[in-house]
Amino acid sequence: MKFSIIAIAAAAAPGAMADFWISYMSREVPGVPSVVGGNNHGAIFHKEPEISCDQHKKSMIYSDTDDVSGKHVGMRTVPGNRVASPYFRDPLDIVEFNTGAGKPGHHTIYKDRGFAMFDVDGRQTGQCYENRSKVFYLRCPDGGNFVNLEGSSMFFCESELNVTYN
């Protein structure tokens, strides 16, 4: 079987498929007030399907909000129904997120389009699959305190977008 150098290089290139997971996370530090702006509840982006303390106790959470247009960073769900833990939001008919200057940027996932993901110019930027199967409840040590992480996966997305995993 012959392998071309070009095919091997293309497979290893940074622009190759950068698939990612979107999960909903609630992060609480018992006895410590919530962060101003409420960014302890919302969407996180991660590479692997499982959530671990080491990776996520300080992850960037894109907070729930009603407006993610322009410079408004966060995640908006439509219809936006609040439900009990671990799902927090259901159904996921429209999920719009804006990560600002961080990657992947501003995109919307539409249920009525088969969970395809589009940028603000209407170009399809990925294909997502609703996946609520990854549920997590973690109590993570953090410098003498504990951080409680709770939530579930929302989507697995196939895309060439580069995603920042904080």
Side-chain angles (χ1 to χ4, degrees):
M1 181 176 215
K2 289 184 177 179
F3 290 101
S4 88
I5 293 174
I6 294 172
I8 293 170
M17 294 299 278
D19 302 344
F20 59 93
W21 287 82
I22 304 173
S23 292
Y24 191 96
M25 179 186 281
S26 169
R27 176 175 50 213
E28 297 292 336
V29 180
V32 176
S34 294
V35 175
V36 175
N39 66 0
N40 284 326
H41 305 276
I44 63 166
F45 296 86
H46 50 107
K47 185 173 180 73
E48 301 300 325
E50 302 301 325
I51 301 288
S52 72
C53 287
D54 290 339
Q55 295 170 327
H56 295 292
K57 67 184 174 189
K58 295 182 181 177
S59 291
M60 173 64 79
I61 296 178
Y62 295 94
S63 299
D64 294 319
T65 184
D66 292 333
D67 183 8
V68 294
S69 62
K71 294 182 181 182
H72 298 184
V73 174
M75 176 193 70
R76 178 180 77 97
T77 57
V78 175
N81 297 340
R82 295 175 193 268
V83 298
S85 166
Y87 299 114
F88 295 102
R89 295 289 180 273
D90 199 53
L92 300 174
D93 293 349
I94 298 173
V95 175
E96 180 181 13
F97 56 87
N98 184 353
T99 61
K103 301 290 184 181
H106 190 164
H107 301 269
T108 305
I109 301 166
Y110 297 94
K111 179 180 181 178
D112 67 355
R113 299 182 196 178
F115 295 110
M117 180 171 55
F118 295 87
D119 67 13
V120 294
D121 296 321
R123 292 184 298 252
Q124 185 169 348
T125 55
Q127 178 60 53
C128 298
Y129 304 92
E130 185 175 26
N131 184 321
R132 307 305 297 269
S133 68
K134 306 297 181 187
V135 174
F136 56 94
Y137 300 96
L138 299 170
R139 183 171 165 90
C140 306
D142 185 36
N145 289 318
F146 284 92
V147 176
N148 296 325
L149 306 177
E150 181 177 359
S152 69
S153 56
M154 294 171 23
F155 295 102
F156 173 71
C157 299
E158 294 175 335
S159 175
E160 292 184 15
L161 295 172
N162 290 316
V163 177
T164 302
Y165 304 105
N166 295 330

